[in-house]
């Protein structure tokens, strides 16, 4: 059976709500994911999983949140070949680059050999009821991509 880890950072709870819905979808699809806040893990742990989903809010004008900076740097030391990857996050469209953290993390995962199986999922601020359903479907679709 495939193994999946979901690692996220959330300041206001928006990205955590997305993570909760995505993991609910993963569970509905029959896999029990490991879920961790980014401060409670390190990048080398990603190598132990078949599927990797990262989630981060975008800070300021298009930056990773501070909580993700050390993890991001540690990613330079890992090999993610044969791993399936996806990234999600919340953002605020009043800034020049909407959801840039999703793009930054996705690019780094691909640089380290990960195979992107879903486009990045970006949601404006907190997810609506419909967007939570989109997140659940995102988790299910990720599991399907591992088959």
């Amino acid at each position: 059976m495939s193994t999946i880890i979901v690692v996220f950072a959330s300041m206001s709870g928006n990205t955590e709500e997305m993570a909760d819905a995505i993991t609910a979808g993963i569970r509905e699809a029959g896999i029990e994911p490991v879920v961790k806040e980014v401060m409670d893990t390190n990048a080398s742990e990603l190598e132990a999983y078949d599927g990797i989903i990262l989630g981060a809010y975008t800070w300021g004008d298009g930056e990773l949140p501070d909580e993700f900076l050390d993890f991001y740097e540690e990613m330079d030391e890992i090999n993610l070949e044969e791993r399936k990857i996806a990234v999600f996050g919340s953002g605020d469209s009043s800034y020049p680059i909407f959801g840039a953290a999703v793009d930054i993390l996705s690019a780094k995962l691909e640089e380290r050999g990960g195979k992107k199986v879903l486009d990045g999922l970006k949601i404006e601020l907190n997810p609506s009821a419909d967007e939570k359903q989109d997140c659940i479907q995102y988790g299910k679709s990720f599991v399907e991509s591992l088959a």
Side-chain angles (χ1 to χ4, degrees), residues 120-147:
L121 178 62
K122 299 177 183 180
I123 291 181
E124 175 85 16
L125 302 174
N126 62 316
S128 67
D130 285 345
E131 288 169 331
K132 284 183 186 177
Q133 288 303 311
D134 293 341
C135 291
I136 290 169
Q137 186 56 52
Y138 195 78
K140 290 178 181 179
S141 296
F142 189 77
V143 171
E144 291 169 11
S145 77
L146 295 176

PDB file of all heavy atoms in Angstrom, residues 120-147:
ATOM      1  N   GLY A 120      -1.149  22.748  -8.619  1.00  0.00           N
ATOM      2  CA  GLY A 120      -1.261  23.347  -7.297  1.00  0.00           C
ATOM      3  C   GLY A 120      -2.675  23.837  -7.030  1.00  0.00           C
ATOM      4  O   GLY A 120      -3.329  24.370  -7.920  1.00  0.00           O
ATOM      5  N   LEU A 121      -3.142  23.618  -5.819  1.00  0.00           N
ATOM      6  CA  LEU A 121      -4.482  24.047  -5.419  1.00  0.00           C
ATOM      7  C   LEU A 121      -4.343  25.318  -4.590  1.00  0.00           C
ATOM      8  O   LEU A 121      -3.750  25.299  -3.508  1.00  0.00           O
ATOM      9  CB  LEU A 121      -5.166  22.949  -4.610  1.00  0.00           C
ATOM     10  CG  LEU A 121      -6.557  23.260  -4.070  1.00  0.00           C
ATOM     11  CD1 LEU A 121      -7.537  23.530  -5.208  1.00  0.00           C
ATOM     12  CD2 LEU A 121      -7.054  22.119  -3.197  1.00  0.00           C
ATOM     13  N   LYS A 122      -4.873  26.422  -5.114  1.00  0.00           N
ATOM     14  CA  LYS A 122      -4.791  27.716  -4.441  1.00  0.00           C
ATOM     15  C   LYS A 122      -6.205  28.192  -4.111  1.00  0.00           C
ATOM     16  O   LYS A 122      -7.084  28.166  -4.972  1.00  0.00           O
ATOM     17  CB  LYS A 122      -4.124  28.748  -5.348  1.00  0.00           C
ATOM     18  CG  LYS A 122      -2.709  28.388  -5.746  1.00  0.00           C
ATOM     19  CD  LYS A 122      -2.154  29.428  -6.704  1.00  0.00           C
ATOM     20  CE  LYS A 122      -0.772  29.061  -7.187  1.00  0.00           C
ATOM     21  NZ  LYS A 122      -0.238  30.089  -8.111  1.00  0.00           N
ATOM     22  N   ILE A 123      -6.384  28.626  -2.878  1.00  0.00           N
ATOM     23  CA  ILE A 123      -7.690  29.122  -2.442  1.00  0.00           C
ATOM     24  C   ILE A 123      -7.515  30.500  -1.813  1.00  0.00           C
ATOM     25  O   ILE A 123      -6.581  30.727  -1.042  1.00  0.00           O
ATOM     26  CB  ILE A 123      -8.352  28.132  -1.460  1.00  0.00           C
ATOM     27  CG1 ILE A 123      -8.748  26.866  -2.238  1.00  0.00           C
ATOM     28  CG2 ILE A 123      -9.535  28.755  -0.749  1.00  0.00           C
ATOM     29  CD1 ILE A 123      -9.429  25.804  -1.437  1.00  0.00           C
ATOM     30  N   GLU A 124      -8.432  31.379  -2.164  1.00  0.00           N
ATOM     31  CA  GLU A 124      -8.445  32.739  -1.624  1.00  0.00           C
ATOM     32  C   GLU A 124      -8.862  32.701  -0.153  1.00  0.00           C
ATOM     33  O   GLU A 124      -9.985  32.280   0.170  1.00  0.00           O
ATOM     34  CB  GLU A 124      -9.430  33.587  -2.433  1.00  0.00           C
ATOM     35  CG  GLU A 124      -9.626  34.992  -1.917  1.00  0.00           C
ATOM     36  CD  GLU A 124      -8.573  35.965  -2.422  1.00  0.00           C
ATOM     37  OE1 GLU A 124      -7.870  35.638  -3.387  1.00  0.00           O
ATOM     38  OE2 GLU A 124      -8.469  37.052  -1.829  1.00  0.00           O
ATOM     39  N   LEU A 125      -7.928  33.091   0.710  1.00  0.00           N
ATOM     40  CA  LEU A 125      -8.158  33.165   2.153  1.00  0.00           C
ATOM     41  C   LEU A 125      -8.708  31.849   2.708  1.00  0.00           C
ATOM     42  O   LEU A 125      -8.109  30.810   2.519  1.00  0.00           O
ATOM     43  CB  LEU A 125      -9.030  34.379   2.481  1.00  0.00           C
ATOM     44  CG  LEU A 125      -8.451  35.721   2.012  1.00  0.00           C
ATOM     45  CD1 LEU A 125      -9.430  36.854   2.243  1.00  0.00           C
ATOM     46  CD2 LEU A 125      -7.112  36.009   2.669  1.00  0.00           C
ATOM     47  N   ASN A 126      -9.888  31.870   3.372  1.00  0.00           N
ATOM     48  CA  ASN A 126     -10.381  30.622   3.968  1.00  0.00           C
ATOM     49  C   ASN A 126     -11.311  29.897   2.983  1.00  0.00           C
ATOM     50  O   ASN A 126     -12.071  30.521   2.257  1.00  0.00           O
ATOM     51  CB  ASN A 126     -11.082  30.879   5.295  1.00  0.00           C
ATOM     52  CG  ASN A 126     -12.296  31.757   5.165  1.00  0.00           C
ATOM     53  OD1 ASN A 126     -12.261  32.754   4.467  1.00  0.00           O
ATOM     54  ND2 ASN A 126     -13.364  31.381   5.825  1.00  0.00           N
ATOM     55  N   PRO A 127     -11.224  28.570   2.966  1.00  0.00           N
ATOM     56  CA  PRO A 127     -12.022  27.810   1.999  1.00  0.00           C
ATOM     57  C   PRO A 127     -13.518  27.837   2.326  1.00  0.00           C
ATOM     58  O   PRO A 127     -13.919  27.667   3.469  1.00  0.00           O
ATOM     59  CB  PRO A 127     -11.464  26.395   2.101  1.00  0.00           C
ATOM     60  CG  PRO A 127     -10.794  26.322   3.427  1.00  0.00           C
ATOM     61  CD  PRO A 127     -10.359  27.711   3.767  1.00  0.00           C
ATOM     62  N   SER A 128     -14.316  28.060   1.279  1.00  0.00           N
ATOM     63  CA  SER A 128     -15.772  27.982   1.406  1.00  0.00           C
ATOM     64  C   SER A 128     -16.175  26.514   1.492  1.00  0.00           C
ATOM     65  O   SER A 128     -15.343  25.613   1.327  1.00  0.00           O
ATOM     66  CB  SER A 128     -16.432  28.623   0.183  1.00  0.00           C
ATOM     67  OG  SER A 128     -16.160  27.826  -0.973  1.00  0.00           O
ATOM     68  N   ALA A 129     -17.442  26.248   1.708  1.00  0.00           N
ATOM     69  CA  ALA A 129     -17.930  24.863   1.754  1.00  0.00           C
ATOM     70  C   ALA A 129     -17.636  24.150   0.433  1.00  0.00           C
ATOM     71  O   ALA A 129     -17.181  23.001   0.424  1.00  0.00           O
ATOM     72  CB  ALA A 129     -19.422  24.831   2.064  1.00  0.00           C
ATOM     73  N   ASP A 130     -17.863  24.836  -0.689  1.00  0.00           N
ATOM     74  CA  ASP A 130     -17.577  24.233  -1.993  1.00  0.00           C
ATOM     75  C   ASP A 130     -16.086  23.981  -2.170  1.00  0.00           C
ATOM     76  O   ASP A 130     -15.675  22.946  -2.711  1.00  0.00           O
ATOM     77  CB  ASP A 130     -18.077  25.126  -3.130  1.00  0.00           C
ATOM     78  CG  ASP A 130     -19.591  25.082  -3.295  1.00  0.00           C
ATOM     79  OD1 ASP A 130     -20.236  24.162  -2.731  1.00  0.00           O
ATOM     80  OD2 ASP A 130     -20.126  25.972  -3.984  1.00  0.00           O
ATOM     81  N   GLU A 131     -15.269  24.920  -1.720  1.00  0.00           N
ATOM     82  CA  GLU A 131     -13.816  24.756  -1.845  1.00  0.00           C
ATOM     83  C   GLU A 131     -13.306  23.636  -0.951  1.00  0.00           C
ATOM     84  O   GLU A 131     -12.345  22.941  -1.306  1.00  0.00           O
ATOM     85  CB  GLU A 131     -13.114  26.077  -1.545  1.00  0.00           C
ATOM     86  CG  GLU A 131     -13.322  27.090  -2.649  1.00  0.00           C
ATOM     87  CD  GLU A 131     -12.886  28.498  -2.290  1.00  0.00           C
ATOM     88  OE1 GLU A 131     -12.934  28.864  -1.084  1.00  0.00           O
ATOM     89  OE2 GLU A 131     -12.505  29.234  -3.207  1.00  0.00           O
ATOM     90  N   LYS A 132     -13.942  23.430   0.200  1.00  0.00           N
ATOM     91  CA  LYS A 132     -13.561  22.284   1.041  1.00  0.00           C
ATOM     92  C   LYS A 132     -13.850  20.988   0.299  1.00  0.00           C
ATOM     93  O   LYS A 132     -13.071  20.031   0.387  1.00  0.00           O
ATOM     94  CB  LYS A 132     -14.296  22.326   2.383  1.00  0.00           C
ATOM     95  CG  LYS A 132     -13.721  23.350   3.333  1.00  0.00           C
ATOM     96  CD  LYS A 132     -14.431  23.317   4.667  1.00  0.00           C
ATOM     97  CE  LYS A 132     -13.937  24.448   5.550  1.00  0.00           C
ATOM     98  NZ  LYS A 132     -14.646  24.502   6.819  1.00  0.00           N
ATOM     99  N   GLN A 133     -14.953  20.943  -0.444  1.00  0.00           N
ATOM    100  CA  GLN A 133     -15.249  19.752  -1.261  1.00  0.00           C
ATOM    101  C   GLN A 133     -14.182  19.580  -2.345  1.00  0.00           C
ATOM    102  O   GLN A 133     -13.782  18.455  -2.644  1.00  0.00           O
ATOM    103  CB  GLN A 133     -16.649  19.858  -1.880  1.00  0.00           C
ATOM    104  CG  GLN A 133     -17.773  19.687  -0.879  1.00  0.00           C
ATOM    105  CD  GLN A 133     -17.697  18.373  -0.123  1.00  0.00           C
ATOM    106  OE1 GLN A 133     -17.544  17.317  -0.716  1.00  0.00           O
ATOM    107  NE2 GLN A 133     -17.783  18.451   1.193  1.00  0.00           N
ATOM    108  N   ASP A 134     -13.715  20.690  -2.915  1.00  0.00           N
ATOM    109  CA  ASP A 134     -12.622  20.624  -3.897  1.00  0.00           C
ATOM    110  C   ASP A 134     -11.363  20.039  -3.248  1.00  0.00           C
ATOM    111  O   ASP A 134     -10.643  19.252  -3.868  1.00  0.00           O
ATOM    112  CB  ASP A 134     -12.300  22.013  -4.454  1.00  0.00           C
ATOM    113  CG  ASP A 134     -13.423  22.587  -5.311  1.00  0.00           C
ATOM    114  OD1 ASP A 134     -14.298  21.818  -5.784  1.00  0.00           O
ATOM    115  OD2 ASP A 134     -13.415  23.824  -5.511  1.00  0.00           O
ATOM    116  N   CYS A 135     -11.112  20.418  -2.003  1.00  0.00           N
ATOM    117  CA  CYS A 135      -9.948  19.891  -1.280  1.00  0.00           C
ATOM    118  C   CYS A 135     -10.095  18.393  -1.030  1.00  0.00           C
ATOM    119  O   CYS A 135      -9.121  17.635  -1.188  1.00  0.00           O
ATOM    120  CB  CYS A 135      -9.769  20.635   0.048  1.00  0.00           C
ATOM    121  SG  CYS A 135      -9.250  22.358  -0.104  1.00  0.00           S
ATOM    122  N   ILE A 136     -11.277  17.964  -0.640  1.00  0.00           N
ATOM    123  CA  ILE A 136     -11.520  16.524  -0.441  1.00  0.00           C
ATOM    124  C   ILE A 136     -11.255  15.781  -1.741  1.00  0.00           C
ATOM    125  O   ILE A 136     -10.570  14.749  -1.756  1.00  0.00           O
ATOM    126  CB  ILE A 136     -12.953  16.286   0.079  1.00  0.00           C
ATOM    127  CG1 ILE A 136     -13.084  16.795   1.518  1.00  0.00           C
ATOM    128  CG2 ILE A 136     -13.334  14.803  -0.023  1.00  0.00           C
ATOM    129  CD1 ILE A 136     -14.509  16.844   2.046  1.00  0.00           C
ATOM    130  N   GLN A 137     -11.765  16.318  -2.854  1.00  0.00           N
ATOM    131  CA  GLN A 137     -11.543  15.688  -4.153  1.00  0.00           C
ATOM    132  C   GLN A 137     -10.060  15.690  -4.521  1.00  0.00           C
ATOM    133  O   GLN A 137      -9.558  14.743  -5.124  1.00  0.00           O
ATOM    134  CB  GLN A 137     -12.361  16.371  -5.245  1.00  0.00           C
ATOM    135  CG  GLN A 137     -12.273  15.667  -6.588  1.00  0.00           C
ATOM    136  CD  GLN A 137     -12.687  14.197  -6.525  1.00  0.00           C
ATOM    137  OE1 GLN A 137     -13.751  13.869  -6.021  1.00  0.00           O
ATOM    138  NE2 GLN A 137     -11.828  13.313  -7.013  1.00  0.00           N
ATOM    139  N   TYR A 138      -9.339  16.733  -4.147  1.00  0.00           N
ATOM    140  CA  TYR A 138      -7.899  16.830  -4.392  1.00  0.00           C
ATOM    141  C   TYR A 138      -7.179  15.662  -3.714  1.00  0.00           C
ATOM    142  O   TYR A 138      -6.327  15.019  -4.311  1.00  0.00           O
ATOM    143  CB  TYR A 138      -7.393  18.178  -3.868  1.00  0.00           C
ATOM    144  CG  TYR A 138      -6.033  18.606  -4.342  1.00  0.00           C
ATOM    145  CD1 TYR A 138      -5.865  19.148  -5.612  1.00  0.00           C
ATOM    146  CD2 TYR A 138      -4.925  18.517  -3.514  1.00  0.00           C
ATOM    147  CE1 TYR A 138      -4.617  19.589  -6.040  1.00  0.00           C
ATOM    148  CE2 TYR A 138      -3.677  18.953  -3.934  1.00  0.00           C
ATOM    149  CZ  TYR A 138      -3.523  19.482  -5.197  1.00  0.00           C
ATOM    150  OH  TYR A 138      -2.286  19.921  -5.615  1.00  0.00           O
ATOM    151  N   GLY A 139      -7.559  15.400  -2.455  1.00  0.00           N
ATOM    152  CA  GLY A 139      -6.968  14.268  -1.728  1.00  0.00           C
ATOM    153  C   GLY A 139      -7.280  12.944  -2.398  1.00  0.00           C
ATOM    154  O   GLY A 139      -6.408  12.084  -2.548  1.00  0.00           O
ATOM    155  N   LYS A 140      -8.516  12.767  -2.818  1.00  0.00           N
ATOM    156  CA  LYS A 140      -8.907  11.529  -3.510  1.00  0.00           C
ATOM    157  C   LYS A 140      -8.150  11.371  -4.828  1.00  0.00           C
ATOM    158  O   LYS A 140      -7.672  10.280  -5.150  1.00  0.00           O
ATOM    159  CB  LYS A 140     -10.428  11.516  -3.785  1.00  0.00           C
ATOM    160  CG  LYS A 140     -11.284  11.350  -2.564  1.00  0.00           C
ATOM    161  CD  LYS A 140     -12.754  11.404  -2.979  1.00  0.00           C
ATOM    162  CE  LYS A 140     -13.683  11.267  -1.806  1.00  0.00           C
ATOM    163  NZ  LYS A 140     -15.095  11.354  -2.223  1.00  0.00           N
ATOM    164  N   SER A 141      -8.058  12.452  -5.583  1.00  0.00           N
ATOM    165  CA  SER A 141      -7.355  12.409  -6.864  1.00  0.00           C
ATOM    166  C   SER A 141      -5.884  12.089  -6.675  1.00  0.00           C
ATOM    167  O   SER A 141      -5.273  11.380  -7.485  1.00  0.00           O
ATOM    168  CB  SER A 141      -7.503  13.733  -7.610  1.00  0.00           C
ATOM    169  OG  SER A 141      -8.845  13.980  -7.944  1.00  0.00           O
ATOM    170  N   PHE A 142      -5.309  12.592  -5.591  1.00  0.00           N
ATOM    171  CA  PHE A 142      -3.891  12.297  -5.309  1.00  0.00           C
ATOM    172  C   PHE A 142      -3.712  10.806  -5.093  1.00  0.00           C
ATOM    173  O   PHE A 142      -2.784  10.192  -5.625  1.00  0.00           O
ATOM    174  CB  PHE A 142      -3.385  13.105  -4.115  1.00  0.00           C
ATOM    175  CG  PHE A 142      -1.900  12.987  -3.931  1.00  0.00           C
ATOM    176  CD1 PHE A 142      -1.040  13.691  -4.740  1.00  0.00           C
ATOM    177  CD2 PHE A 142      -1.378  12.164  -2.952  1.00  0.00           C
ATOM    178  CE1 PHE A 142       0.341  13.579  -4.581  1.00  0.00           C
ATOM    179  CE2 PHE A 142      -0.002  12.040  -2.777  1.00  0.00           C
ATOM    180  CZ  PHE A 142       0.853  12.747  -3.593  1.00  0.00           C
ATOM    181  N   VAL A 143      -4.597  10.208  -4.313  1.00  0.00           N
ATOM    182  CA  VAL A 143      -4.515   8.758  -4.065  1.00  0.00           C
ATOM    183  C   VAL A 143      -4.640   7.995  -5.391  1.00  0.00           C
ATOM    184  O   VAL A 143      -3.882   7.055  -5.637  1.00  0.00           O
ATOM    185  CB  VAL A 143      -5.584   8.302  -3.054  1.00  0.00           C
ATOM    186  CG1 VAL A 143      -5.640   6.782  -2.978  1.00  0.00           C
ATOM    187  CG2 VAL A 143      -5.303   8.889  -1.674  1.00  0.00           C
ATOM    188  N   GLU A 144      -5.582   8.403  -6.235  1.00  0.00           N
ATOM    189  CA  GLU A 144      -5.751   7.748  -7.534  1.00  0.00           C
ATOM    190  C   GLU A 144      -4.478   7.810  -8.362  1.00  0.00           C
ATOM    191  O   GLU A 144      -4.153   6.874  -9.096  1.00  0.00           O
ATOM    192  CB  GLU A 144      -6.916   8.379  -8.309  1.00  0.00           C
ATOM    193  CG  GLU A 144      -8.271   8.091  -7.713  1.00  0.00           C
ATOM    194  CD  GLU A 144      -9.396   8.943  -8.318  1.00  0.00           C
ATOM    195  OE1 GLU A 144      -9.159   9.621  -9.360  1.00  0.00           O
ATOM    196  OE2 GLU A 144     -10.489   8.941  -7.755  1.00  0.00           O
ATOM    197  N   SER A 145      -3.727   8.905  -8.246  1.00  0.00           N
ATOM    198  CA  SER A 145      -2.496   9.065  -9.028  1.00  0.00           C
ATOM    199  C   SER A 145      -1.395   8.108  -8.573  1.00  0.00           C
ATOM    200  O   SER A 145      -0.461   7.842  -9.322  1.00  0.00           O
ATOM    201  CB  SER A 145      -1.980  10.500  -8.914  1.00  0.00           C
ATOM    202  OG  SER A 145      -1.342  10.718  -7.671  1.00  0.00           O
ATOM    203  N   LEU A 146      -1.522   7.587  -7.356  1.00  0.00           N
ATOM    204  CA  LEU A 146      -0.509   6.658  -6.845  1.00  0.00           C
ATOM    205  C   LEU A 146      -0.700   5.241  -7.344  1.00  0.00           C
ATOM    206  O   LEU A 146       0.205   4.423  -7.262  1.00  0.00           O
ATOM    207  CB  LEU A 146      -0.512   6.662  -5.308  1.00  0.00           C
ATOM    208  CG  LEU A 146      -0.109   7.967  -4.626  1.00  0.00           C
ATOM    209  CD1 LEU A 146      -0.254   7.823  -3.126  1.00  0.00           C
ATOM    210  CD2 LEU A 146       1.301   8.367  -4.989  1.00  0.00           C
ATOM    211  N   ALA A 147      -1.900   4.951  -7.849  1.00  0.00           N
ATOM    212  CA  ALA A 147      -2.214   3.581  -8.279  1.00  0.00           C
ATOM    213  C   ALA A 147      -1.432   3.189  -9.530  1.00  0.00           C
ATOM    214  O   ALA A 147      -1.081   3.978 -10.351  1.00  0.00           O
ATOM    215  CB  ALA A 147      -3.713   3.455  -8.547  1.00  0.00           C
TER     216      ALA A 147
END
